[in-house]
Amino acid sequence: ERLCQQLLRDFPTLIDGHDRLGMLRAAQGRFTEAADHYSRVLEIIAKDPSGYDPELIRLFEERKQHALSNSAPRP
């Protein structure tokens, strides 16, 4: 987690820190936070989508949706 935070500080315009924190939060069961990080990844990509493969963008959208579906309260 500390290294992810350092990535965010040192390289705020790159997706790596948010991607790794998203995966970490999902593994911890902290799905709302994971979804937030994937949203930030998608925001960074939206500023210059030409540098990203459409499959990679789709992967982050799927990760975000998965996190959101797991963060919803269960009946």
Side-chain angles (χ1 to χ4, degrees):
E1 182 173 348
R2 187 171 24 98
L3 294 174
C4 294
Q5 295 295 346
Q6 184 175 347
L7 272 174
L8 291 176
R9 278 191 307 276
D10 294 347
F11 305 99
T13 60
L14 299 181
I15 64 172
D16 296 38
H18 288 294
D19 176 27
R20 292 167 194 237
L21 273 173
M23 287 188 285
L24 175 63
R25 295 299 183 233
Q28 293 171 329
R30 296 163 64 177
F31 296 107
T32 301
E33 293 174 55
D36 288 342
H37 284 289
Y38 291 128
S39 290
R40 291 180 187 165
V41 166
L42 293 167
E43 288 170 9
I44 291 169
I45 291 172
K47 291 179 183 175
D48 184 18
S50 64
Y52 297 93
D53 184 284
E55 289 294 318
L56 182 64
I57 296 169
R58 210 168 6 264
L59 172 69
F60 288 121
E61 290 169 345
E62 289 172 4
R63 287 182 180 176
K64 178 183 172 183
Q65 288 306 317
H66 181 263
L68 287 172
S69 68
N70 281 300
S71 66
R74 307 266 180 211

